[in-house]
Amino acid sequence: MPTQIYGYVRVSSTEQNEGRQLLALGERSVPSRNIYVDKQSGKDFLRPQYQKMVRRLRPGDLLYILSIDRLGRNYKEIQNQWRVLTKEKEVDICVIDMPLLDTRSGKDLLGTFIADLVLQILSLVAQSERENIHKRQEQGIAAARARGVRFGRPPQPLPENYHSAYQRWKAGAITGSAAARECGMPLSTFRYRAERYENPPGLDQP
């Protein structure tokens, strides 16, 4: 069977555009039928199109990717997959934006050492960037919450009779269970909404 040329594309979400990666693969004459695209995180390799592509690879085939972070963002996983592809599947890999990561050239001891060293550095950078992105997201969420921004689903509107039931409950005319039944909600929800009703978010407390 003649050598096949493959290309792999990954974007982190369905909103991101894979056009730049597809253009780079097209410039390397990768057949469109041999291009596999995943639209999900690079934290691991449990991606349907990637796994499908790996099953098709045969010894001597060539795989193009635009950059090492398109392969993944986890240092150990990238190292492991590189070994699987080059040692177990016996395919060549060309990272387009990093010419040193082209297993077709430099197959002597020095070339292999340089490629392995570059791979370790780049995959570590990819993981560090992923961790930095996650940290920035957490910091952004914390800052937004400090400004009063609320995340998650907005609460359901209170029933029309809530104010009346709440006032009679506060006055001791009815029990919390009775008030909750009148409002059509669990007692725990009634109490939670009562607390929010008494202390609306965003208002300074005395």
Side-chain angles (χ1 to χ4, degrees), residues 2 4 9-10 38 60 63 68 102 107 113 126 133 163 180 182 201:
Q4 296 289 314
V9 171
R10 184 187 65 79
D38 277 312
L63 171 62
I68 195 65
D102 185 344
K107 289 183 178 292
F113 172 77
I133 290 173
H163 179 75
E182 285 187 19

Side-chain angles (χ1 to χ4, degrees), residues 137-181:
Q137 288 174 338
E138 290 182 336
Q139 291 172 339
I141 292 172
R145 283 177 172 159
R147 297 194 303 270
V149 177
R150 300 178 64 189
F151 296 89
R153 292 183 178 180
Q156 293 293 323
L158 292 172
E160 293 182 0
N161 66 334
Y162 184 86
H163 179 75
S164 172
Y166 169 82
Q167 292 294 341
R168 286 184 289 125
W169 170 67
K170 289 292 289 185
I174 59 175
T175 65
S177 297
R181 283 196 301 272

Side-chain angles (χ1 to χ4, degrees), residues 10 42-45 68-80 119-136:
R10 184 187 65 79
K43 65 180 180 179
D44 56 48
F45 285 84
I68 195 65
D69 65 348
R70 297 305 87 197
L71 189 61
R73 289 187 177 276
N74 181 291
Y75 175 73
K76 291 183 178 179
E77 288 282 355
I78 294 175
Q79 294 282 325
N80 182 57
L119 173 64
Q120 290 184 39
I121 294 172
L122 291 180
S123 54
L124 182 58
V125 168
Q127 176 172 321
S128 297
E129 178 60 19
R130 175 173 171 264
E131 291 173 350
N132 287 336
I133 290 173
H134 183 66
K135 184 176 181 180
R136 289 195 295 268

Side-chain angles (χ1 to χ4, degrees), residues 59-124:
D61 288 345
L62 171 62
L63 171 62
Y64 279 106
I65 56 174
L66 178 58
S67 58
I68 195 65
D69 65 348
R70 297 305 87 197
L71 189 61
R73 289 187 177 276
N74 181 291
Y75 175 73
K76 291 183 178 179
E77 288 282 355
I78 294 175
Q79 294 282 325
N80 182 57
Q81 285 301 308
W82 190 274
R83 179 190 59 78
V84 169
L85 294 171
T86 60
K87 306 300 183 185
E88 297 182 12
K89 304 295 291 189
E90 298 181 358
V91 303
D92 280 313
I93 306 176
C94 176
V95 181
I96 296 172
D97 67 0
M98 181 54 62
L100 285 174
L101 289 180
D102 185 344
T103 60
R104 295 172 298 175
S105 59
K107 289 183 178 292
D108 58 3
L109 184 61
L110 178 59
T112 301
F113 172 77
I114 293 175
D116 287 347
L117 181 61
V118 172
L119 173 64
Q120 290 184 39
I121 294 172
L122 291 180
S123 54
L124 182 58

